[in-house]
């Protein structure tokens, strides 16, 4: 059964935790805390269930009062998908991790967002004195078949007990083999990601660098490889789930996972290893709690827990000061000439765009983003409204919808944080049909978003006819041999989220000087509107491959 604890209930255990050594002179309780998929969630946002970094820090400090013999690590994707992180020059992660005591992290796919050199650099310009971060990943290799210099396969961390005895915890890092499909190809040059997770761990155990881990009292996999709950039990959620499901190594005592953005707590695999994953943005802290026999150095029990972070938790003096520092940054930071607090359009209702809720759907957010791409091309290329321009977007580049209320620059950036380059292609109607067909059946990453297209499908959900909806509301049938302008971001055009680069041939790419980034295009789009959306769209969910004709022209 999944165990999800509130901080209040955990505090009720404080006496037993504090005096565990007195209760049994031969045993001690040790806790390992993990923060996964934080994604630069420094600022609290109740509308998106983001508690904010000060609340995460306060919760960790409260947990440490319950479990004083503890270490804290991260399971990857510490940044990426955060406009505030980008706008502040990336200096916040090292400062925050220094404050909360994180010095070991798995590598996540978003750790590559800034490029391999920045990954190796680890914020050297802002690194706090005496702090450094060790990235763990045993299954990434360079062109020489070695683990790159920015990572190491494993590491240990120690806890000194009040008695002076030392408890050592060993970690082996793994990263999803699906990283090449979820990261810009240009950021991964020369790297390969091995999905034979069980084989990787077995091979590592034969190498000298594993010996400190082999000698550790507790041995854990720190994984940016996703899990999720199914029928009350954890299951794997990864391209190579079948491989990791075979992992049954009695030398390991637990799994700390990330990547799939689900709260997970329970036992997994034939070995029934405890596994935890704390959703994302610091909504939960993952906890693995161990009872250790100090005489034999054996783990007597391992208990998984996840603790929800209360965004309204009373902050201590340190956390209050940190909260004020973040607020000052928000008030005084600009990006691309815009203050982060600058207001744009007013959103008249909640707009949902969430891969856990409606990823098999043309969303209102998706339409607006794609229309913004089309408008950006018209403006840059001085094209008349009568010129058909189709914007397309992979579902995952849009990280969230908009809540009802005033939309700020920061809100736009958090919804579309990657600021990818926009690329323009002149594609035939036949090529567009193939692209849309794939986009309607991209079950792993979600439905491709489009603008100004009417899609007519067969009863089995395959594209029968496409029509472009002109600015005056009339429709123009997309002809196989005719060519049309299509705008996509560089991630999708470069092969991200499962899209083949064959859909976007370089020989058919057009160059337009002055094209804005994806995020700036959306900012420009919203700045020309007082409110959004201006009409109720006709959107039909994509389920069971049974679609009918539905208009996408919404505004």
């Amino acid at each position: 059964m999944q165990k999800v604890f509130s901080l209040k209930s955990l505090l009720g255990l404080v006496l037993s935790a504090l005096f565990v050594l007195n209760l049994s002179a031969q045993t001690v309780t040790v806790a390992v805390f993990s923060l996964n998929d934080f994604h630069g969630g420094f600022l609290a946002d109740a509308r998106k269930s983001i508690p904010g970094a000060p609340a995460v820090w306060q919760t960790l400090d409260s947990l440490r009062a319950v479990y004083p013999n503890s270490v804290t690590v991260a399971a990857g994707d510490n940044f990426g998908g955060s406009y505030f992180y980008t706008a502040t020059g990336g200096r916040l992660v090292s400062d925050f991790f220094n404050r909360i005591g994180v010095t070991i992290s798995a590598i996540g796919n978003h750790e590559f967002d800034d490029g391999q050199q920045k990954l190796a650099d680890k914020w050297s310009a802002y690194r706090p004195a005496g702090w450094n971060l060790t990235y763990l990943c045993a299954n990434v290799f360079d062109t020489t078949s070695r683990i790159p210099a920015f990572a190491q396969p494993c590491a240990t961390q120690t806890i000194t007990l009040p008695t002076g005895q030392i408890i050592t915890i060993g970690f082996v890092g793994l990263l999803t083999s699906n990283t090449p499909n979820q990261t810009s190809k240009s950021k991964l040059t020369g790297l390969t990601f091995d999905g034979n997770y069980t084989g990787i761990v077995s091979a590592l155990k034969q190498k000298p660098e594993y010996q400190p881990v082999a000698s550790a009292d507790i041995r854990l996999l720190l994984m940016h490889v996703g899990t999720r709950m199914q029928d009350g039990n954890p299951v794997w959620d990864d391209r190579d789930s079948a491989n990791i499901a075979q992992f049954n190594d009695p030398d390991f005592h637990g799994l700390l996972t990330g990547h799939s953005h689900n709260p997970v707590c329970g036992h997994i695999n034939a070995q029934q290893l405890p596994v935890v994953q704390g959703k994302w943005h610091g909504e939960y802290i993952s906890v693995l709690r161990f009872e250790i026999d100090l005489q034999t150095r054996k783990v007597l029990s391992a208990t998984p827990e996840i603790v929800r972070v209360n965004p309204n938790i009373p902050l201590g003096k340190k956390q209050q000061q940190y909260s004020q520092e973040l607020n000052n940054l928000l008030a005084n930071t600009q990006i691309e000439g815009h203050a982060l607090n600058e207001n744009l359009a007013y959103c008249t209702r909640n707009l949902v765009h969430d891969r856990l809720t409606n990823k098999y759907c043309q969303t209102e957010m998706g339409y607006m983003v794609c229309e913004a791409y089309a408008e950006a091309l018209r403006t840059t290329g001085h094209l008349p409204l009568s010129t058909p321009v189709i914007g397309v977007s992979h579902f995952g580049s849009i990280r969230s919808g908009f809540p009802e209320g005033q939309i700020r620059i920061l809100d736009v950036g958090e919804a579309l944080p990657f600021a990818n380059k926009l690329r323009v292609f002149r594609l035939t109607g036949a090529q567009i049909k193939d692209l849309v067909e794939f986009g309607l059946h991209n079950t792993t990453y979600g439905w491709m978003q489009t603008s100004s297209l009417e899609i007519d499908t067969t009863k089995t959900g395959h594209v029968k006819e496409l029509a472009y909806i002109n600015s005056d509301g009339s429709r123009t049938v997309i002809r196989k041999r005719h060519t049309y302008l299509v705008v996509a971001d560089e991630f999708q055009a470069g092969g991200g989220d499962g899209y083949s680069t064959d859909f976007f041939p370089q020989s058919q790419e057009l160059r337009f000087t002055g094209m804005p980034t994806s995020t700036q295009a959306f900012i420009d789009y919203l700045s020309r509107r007082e409110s959004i959306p201006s009409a109720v769209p006709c959107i039909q969910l994509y389920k069971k491959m049974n679609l009918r004709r539905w208009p996408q022209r919404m505004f």
Side-chain angles (χ1 to χ4, degrees), residues 390-442:
I390 302 166
V392 298
S393 175
H394 52 108
F395 194 92
S397 73
I398 308 165
R399 305 298 282 186
S400 70
F402 284 149
E404 180 180 348
Q406 192 68 51
I407 304 302
R408 305 167 298 170
I409 294 289
L410 180 64
D411 298 316
V412 179
E414 295 299 331
L416 206 70
F418 299 112
N420 287 325
K421 176 183 176 183
L422 291 180
R423 296 172 63 183
V424 182
F425 300 84
R426 184 176 292 281
L427 303 181
T428 66
Q431 289 173 311
I432 295 172
K433 181 180 178 181
D434 289 343
L435 174 62
V436 173
E437 177 76 23
F438 178 84
L440 291 182
H441 298 83
N442 193 351

Side-chain angles (χ1 to χ4, degrees), residues 267-287:
H267 295 81
I268 201 168
N269 285 22
Q271 191 183 342
Q272 286 297 287
L273 283 165
V275 58
V276 281
Q277 179 175 284
K279 202 176 179 182
W280 68 336
H281 286 145
E283 283 193 55
Y284 294 84
I285 303 297
S286 298
V287 183

Side-chain angles (χ1 to χ4, degrees), residues 42 83-92 126 329-330 333 335 340:
F42 298 99
Y83 202 58
F84 188 56
Y85 167 85
T86 302
T88 52
R91 67 180 182 268
L92 293 176
Y126 307 111
L329 272 175
L330 175 61
T333 300
I335 188 168
L340 295 181

Side-chain angles (χ1 to χ4, degrees), residues 47 105 116 139 144 179 217 234 269-270 277 283 299 325 485 514 538:
R47 301 173 300 180
S105 175
Q116 293 180 46
N139 65 315
T144 67
T179 294
D217 301 293
N269 285 22
Q277 179 175 284
E283 283 193 55
V299 173
E325 291 175 22
L485 297 175
C538 178

Side-chain angles (χ1 to χ4, degrees), residues 129-145:
W131 177 88
N132 203 347
L133 186 67
T134 299
Y135 275 126
L136 301 185
C137 189
N139 65 315
V140 59
F141 301 100
D142 61 19
T143 54
T144 67
S145 299

Side-chain angles (χ1 to χ4, degrees), residues 188-397:
L188 303 178
T189 303
L191 300 180
T192 57
F193 302 84
D194 195 330
N196 181 15
Y197 305 122
T198 56
I200 289 290
V201 176
S202 295
L204 175 62
K205 291 174 66 175
Q206 310 306 313
K207 297 179 180 179
E209 56 262 45
Y210 182 77
Q211 289 311 304
V213 175
S215 302
D217 301 293
I218 301 171
R219 293 172 292 279
L220 305 174
L221 292 185
L222 183 60
M223 313 169 65
H224 198 72
V225 179
T227 51
R228 59 183 172 85
M229 300 300 291
Q230 179 176 295
D231 300 326
N233 297 302
V235 296
W236 292 101
D237 188 5
D238 186 72
R239 184 177 72 172
D240 287 302
S241 291
N243 179 275
I244 194 63
Q246 298 173 14
F247 186 80
N248 191 27
D249 191 330
D251 285 351
F252 286 85
H253 302 104
L255 311 172
L256 301 160
T257 69
H259 184 56
S260 55
H261 301 173
N262 286 277
V264 173
C265 183
H267 295 81
I268 201 168
N269 285 22
Q271 191 183 342
Q272 286 297 287
L273 283 165
V275 58
V276 281
Q277 179 175 284
K279 202 176 179 182
W280 68 336
H281 286 145
E283 283 193 55
Y284 294 84
I285 303 297
S286 298
V287 183
L288 288 179
R289 179 163 47 90
F290 300 94
E291 297 294 327
I292 300 177
D293 187 312
L294 289 173
Q295 187 172 17
T296 64
R297 291 287 177 159
K298 292 188 178 299
V299 173
L300 302 176
S301 66
T303 304
E305 304 163 358
I306 55 175
V307 179
R308 186 151 201 162
V309 175
N310 178 4
N312 300 314
I313 187 173
L315 299 179
K317 184 176 180 180
K318 294 181 298 183
Q319 289 81 9
Q320 288 178 10
Q321 180 180 347
Y322 184 51
S323 179
Q324 186 59 52
E325 291 175 22
L326 293 176
N327 289 335
N328 289 339
L329 272 175
L330 175 61
N332 295 291
T333 300
Q334 293 194 352
I335 188 168
E336 296 187 13
H338 297 281
L340 295 181
N341 269 334
E342 179 184 330
N343 287 330
L344 294 168
Y346 185 87
C347 188
T348 59
R349 62 176 180 275
N350 289 330
L351 303 180
V352 178
H353 184 97
D354 182 355
R355 73 180 188 182
L356 298 180
T357 304
N358 59 346
K359 74 175 184 178
Y360 303 125
C361 176
Q362 170 67 59
T363 71
E364 295 167 285
M365 280 291 292
Y367 175 88
M368 290 191 297
V369 167
C370 294
E371 188 68 3
Y373 294 176
E375 282 193 8
L377 176 57
R378 286 198 184 92
T379 299
T380 303
H382 306 289
L383 304 177
L385 284 175
S386 58
T387 303
V389 180
I390 302 166
V392 298
S393 175
H394 52 108
F395 194 92
S397 73

